[in-house]
């Protein structure tokens, strides 16, 4: 299979078909088949294949599409007429996934194309091979054939091309044409009569038609007059006696209202006092407050006391907040320290507990081992004495009195220590050569020439013995 790809020339164009079965990448041999590739790219650029179906399916052979009518008899080329076939010696229908031009006769290529589903050598020299399906999109192309077929090779499950996209266009001079369909649509729109009549309101149908007509005229005039400007009721209703376009009171007169207009002192408006500025004169303040110096001083003292009280409360609250914050921080640090201590102690106990235990156990085991060794050595000494006959029972009695809990070792228990290994004497017997042993066997090798001569001589002796 690798030699097939080596023989094929490199591609120079690429088109993407978005179908209902998935995306299909098509690489084009634009140098080997320039007319077919130019036709295919221009039709894709113009959206000619959009919404077209794959109308023909021959299982194991090909899948055909590219006909806008969907019947297999339609389709036009980008040149406006059929173009000739293009063949190349290195382009053969040797595998699946190849793209060729569909034609009924020789040099009758239009817009229809097909995908091969297997090797089709019978199409070599008859149909133009101009592209191939690449990558994993080959499996999407094979999905087009995964359905049953009806009459006239029409698939029962119809797949269509949603849209096309040019990924690599080697023909830079291609310009999309205005198709005949678009021309017809534009001609119909131009021939369609334009309705120049403007809708008008018929106020005669209303019982209050005259009034409505007058209001409509006033509204239209106001709209024209104040077009692009902000409007209010004062601007629109100029003849209304209840409204006035000019303000009743000037802004400068609002703050200088005379007190003489009010008969009662209670009915006078309350005005807000502005704060005293550094450059202001105290005489103005005295006039406004209407207080003497003592009352003014008392008032100032009260205000100072109140401000000092508020400041003290604020300072107290601030100190309280700082103290609470410090307490929280101390508690947090203390808790962290406790957690760290617990963690460290647990870690030490878990990881180093066995070391401490091993030290204690090691010392006790060592003492126990030395004690057992001393006892064994004492037993050996006792066994030696028994063996030599120098053992004294009085010494044993004294040891029993000194340590009554210690069990007495009898002579039976020490017998295995006093035992001495003595191997049995081997009796070597001389073998009589003249006497045949029962276990003696003679081995005669037939290949040995001495045995051969013996066998030859033996029958002669037998014959002599027969004669005698």
């Amino acid at each position: 299979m690798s030699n097939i790809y080596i023989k094929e020339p490199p591609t120079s164009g690429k088109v993407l078909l978005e179908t209902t079965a998935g995306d299909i990448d098509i690489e084009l041999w634009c140098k080997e088949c320039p007319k077919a590739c130019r036709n295919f790219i221009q039709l894709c650029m113009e959206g000619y294949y959009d919404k077209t179906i794959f109308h023909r399916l021959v299982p194991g052979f090909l899948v055909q599409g590219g006909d806008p009518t969907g019947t297999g008899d339609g389709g036009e080329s980008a040149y406006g007429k059929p173009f000739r076939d293009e063949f190349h010696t290195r382009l053969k229908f040797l595998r699946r996934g190849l793209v060729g031009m569909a034609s009924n006769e020789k040099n009758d290529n239009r817009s229809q194309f097909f995908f091969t589903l297997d090797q089709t050598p019978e199409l070599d020299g008859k149909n133009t091979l101009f592209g191939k399906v690449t990558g994993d999109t080959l499996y999407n192309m094979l999905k087009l054939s995964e359905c049953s077929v009806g009459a006239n090779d029409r698939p029962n499950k119809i797949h269509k091309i949603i849209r096309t996209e040019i990924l690599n266009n080697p023909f830079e001079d291609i310009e999309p044409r205005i198709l005949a369909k678009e021309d017809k649509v534009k001609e119909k729109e131009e021939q369609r009569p334009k309705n120049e009549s403007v809708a008008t309101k018929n106020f005669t149908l209303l019982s209050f038609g005259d009034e409505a007509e007058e209001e409509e005229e006033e509204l239209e005039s106001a709209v024209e007059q104040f077009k692009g400007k902000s409007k209010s009721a004062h601007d629109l209703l100029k003849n209304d006696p209840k409204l006035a376009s000019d303000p009743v009171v000037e802004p400068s007169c609002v703050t200088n209202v005379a007190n003489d207009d009010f008969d009662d002192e209670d009915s006078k408006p309350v005005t807000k006092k502005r704060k005293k500025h550094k450059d202001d004169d105290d005489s103005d303040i005295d006039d406004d407050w209407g207080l003497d110096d003592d009352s003014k001083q008392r008032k100032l003292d009260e205000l100072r006391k109140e401000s000092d009280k508020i400041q003290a409360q604020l300072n107290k609250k601030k100190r309280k907040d700082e103290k609470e914050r410090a307490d929280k921080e101390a508690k947090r640090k203390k808790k962290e320290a406790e957690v760290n201590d617990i963690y460290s102690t647990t870690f030490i106990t878990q990881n180093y507990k066995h070391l401490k235990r091993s030290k204690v156990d090691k010392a006790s085991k060592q003492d126990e081992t030395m004690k057992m060794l001393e006892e064994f050595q004492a037993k050996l000494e006792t066994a030696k004495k028994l063996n030599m006959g120098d053992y004294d029972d009085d010494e044993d009695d004294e040891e029993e009195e000194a340590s009554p809990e210690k069990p007495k070792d009898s002579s039976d228990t020490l017998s295995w220590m006093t035992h001495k290994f003595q191997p049995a004497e081997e009796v070597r017997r001389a073998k009589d050569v003249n006497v045949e042993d029962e276990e003696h066997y003679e081995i005669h090798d037939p290949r040995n020439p001495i045995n051969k001569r013996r066998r030859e001589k033996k029958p002669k002796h037998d014959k002599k013995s027969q004669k005698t």
Side-chain angles (χ1 to χ4, degrees):
M1 193 69 182
S2 61
N3 58 351
I4 297 173
Y5 294 103
I6 294 171
K7 290 179 181 179
E8 291 178 352
T11 58
S12 57
K14 192 171 185 180
V15 177
L16 173 66
L17 301 183
E18 291 186 12
T19 68
T20 53
D23 295 345
I24 300 176
D25 288 333
I26 301 175
E27 292 185 359
L28 307 175
W29 286 294
C30 298
K31 292 181 180 180
E32 290 73 18
C33 306
K35 283 188 172 293
C37 294
R38 188 184 185 92
N39 173 70
F40 187 74
I41 289 175
Q42 186 163 353
L43 292 178
C44 291
M45 190 181 295
E46 295 169 355
Y48 189 83
Y49 293 123
D50 295 352
K51 309 302 180 184
T52 58
I53 65 171
F54 292 94
H55 59 273
R56 186 186 177 199
L57 170 61
V58 181
F61 187 59
L62 56 83
V63 180
Q64 187 172 335
D67 183 8
T69 62
T71 59
D73 299 328
E76 296 180 357
S77 68
Y79 307 108
K81 59 181 180 180
F83 58 93
R84 63 179 178 82
D85 297 327
E86 294 174 314
F87 305 115
H88 196 272
T89 55
R90 296 174 65 185
L91 297 177
K92 302 292 182 181
F93 290 96
L94 298 176
R95 58 187 176 88
R96 64 185 181 181
L98 299 175
V99 187
M101 293 300 301
S103 60
N104 295 326
E105 300 176 358
K106 187 178 181 180
N107 298 326
D108 190 27
N109 300 303
R110 300 177 186 271
S111 65
Q112 296 187 36
F113 62 93
F114 62 87
F115 299 115
T116 59
L117 300 176
D118 201 349
Q119 54 180 348
T120 56
E122 61 270 19
L123 299 180
D124 292 336
K126 294 182 181 180
N127 295 82
T128 302
L129 172 58
F130 67 94
K132 63 179 179 179
V133 180
T134 59
D136 295 337
T137 59
L138 177 65
Y139 301 105
N140 294 334
M141 186 275 294
L142 294 176
K143 290 180 183 178
L144 301 176
S145 62
E146 295 177 354
C147 63
S148 57
V149 182
N152 298 325
D153 297 333
R154 194 170 186 85
N156 293 328
K157 183 179 180 180
I158 301 297
H159 289 282
K160 63 172 62 177
I161 299 173
I162 301 171
R163 73 178 191 92
T164 58
E165 182 180 354
I166 310 298
L167 301 178
N168 184 13
N169 181 15
F171 305 104
E172 298 179 356
D173 58 336
I174 294 179
E175 294 182 1
R177 304 169 299 163
I178 300 176
L179 301 179
K181 292 181 181 179
E182 298 179 0
D183 293 339
K184 291 179 181 179
V185 171
K186 287 185 179 180
E187 289 178 2
K188 288 181 180 179
E189 291 179 354
E190 291 176 357
Q191 293 176 1
R192 186 180 298 170
K194 296 181 180 180
N195 190 8
E196 296 180 355
S197 60
V198 181
T200 57
K201 296 180 182 180
N202 190 1
F203 295 101
T204 58
L205 300 176
L206 301 174
S207 59
F208 51 90
D210 297 336
E211 297 177 0
E213 189 173 0
E214 290 177 0
E215 291 179 359
E216 187 71 20
E217 290 177 357
E218 290 179 359
L219 183 60
E220 289 179 359
S221 61
V223 169
E224 291 293 332
Q225 182 179 359
F226 297 99
K227 190 174 182 181
K229 300 178 181 179
S230 59
K231 296 174 283 293
S232 65
H234 294 280
D235 297 325
L236 296 175
L237 305 176
K238 290 183 178 180
N239 299 327
D240 193 349
K242 295 181 180 180
L243 297 174
S245 59
D246 298 330
V248 177
V249 182
E250 294 293 336
S252 60
C253 299
V254 174
T255 56
N256 299 326
V257 179
N259 295 333
D260 298 336
D261 297 337
F262 301 94
D263 298 334
D264 300 332
E265 293 181 358
D266 298 335
S267 61
K268 289 184 180 180
V270 179
T271 58
K272 293 183 179 180
K273 298 291 183 178
R274 66 181 180 87
K275 294 182 179 180
K276 181 181 178 182
H277 196 265
K278 292 181 179 180
D279 299 336
D280 292 343
D281 192 5
D282 296 338
S283 60
D284 296 336
I285 299 174
D286 296 342
D287 296 339
D288 294 336
W289 284 6
L291 301 173
D292 54 359
D293 295 338
D294 296 336
S295 56
K296 191 195 304 183
Q297 190 64 30
R298 286 195 300 272
K299 190 71 174 178
L300 291 173
D301 294 339
E302 290 176 0
L303 292 173
R304 287 193 189 95
K305 288 179 181 180
E306 189 174 356
S307 63
D308 294 340
K309 186 177 180 181
I310 294 171
Q311 188 66 30
Q313 291 177 355
L314 291 174
N315 294 335
K316 185 178 179 181
K317 189 176 183 301
K318 186 177 180 181
R319 288 192 297 271
K320 185 178 179 182
D321 294 340
E322 290 178 354
K323 186 177 180 182
E324 291 179 354
R325 198 179 300 111
D327 294 340
K328 288 182 179 179
E329 186 68 19
K331 288 180 181 178
R332 186 182 66 80
K333 290 182 179 179
K334 185 178 179 181
K335 191 173 182 181
E336 288 180 357
E338 290 177 354
V339 171
N340 292 332
D341 293 340
I342 293 170
Y343 175 76
S344 60
T345 52
T346 52
F347 180 78
I348 291 169
T349 52
Q350 290 177 359
N351 292 278
Y352 298 100
K353 191 174 181 180
H354 65 282
L355 296 176
K356 186 177 179 181
R357 187 184 303 165
S358 63
K359 290 180 180 179
V360 176
D361 295 342
K362 187 175 181 181
S364 60
K365 286 182 178 180
Q366 187 174 3
D367 296 339
E368 187 177 355
T369 305
M370 293 301 294
K371 187 176 180 181
M372 292 172 65
L373 180 61
E374 292 174 358
E375 292 177 356
F376 183 71
Q377 289 176 351
K379 289 181 181 179
L380 288 177
E381 293 293 334
T382 306
K384 286 181 180 180
K385 291 179 180 180
L386 287 173
N387 193 14
M388 296 173 66
D390 298 336
Y391 182 74
D392 191 2
D393 293 335
D394 297 336
E395 295 179 359
D396 196 3
D397 295 337
E398 292 177 358
E399 290 178 0
E400 285 181 2
E401 291 176 359
S403 57
E405 296 179 357
K406 185 177 178 180
K408 180 181 178 182
D409 293 333
S410 62
S411 60
D412 295 334
T413 58
L414 299 174
S415 62
W416 65 273
M417 294 184 182
T418 59
H419 179 72
K420 184 178 180 181
F421 176 71
Q422 294 180 357
E425 295 181 359
E426 294 183 0
V427 179
R428 296 185 180 181
R429 298 177 181 179
K431 185 177 180 181
D432 191 359
V433 181
N434 296 323
V435 179
E436 292 185 359
D437 192 4
E438 295 178 356
E439 298 179 356
H440 179 71
Y441 299 98
E442 291 185 359
I443 299 172
H444 300 283
D445 188 2
R447 295 173 295 180
N448 193 348
I450 298 173
N451 295 331
K452 187 177 180 181
R453 288 195 299 271
R454 288 177 181 175
R455 286 195 302 272
E456 290 176 355
K457 292 177 180 181
K458 192 172 183 179
K460 292 180 181 180
H461 294 293
D462 294 339
K463 287 179 181 180
K464 289 180 181 180
S465 60
Q466 289 176 2
K467 288 180 181 181
T468 55

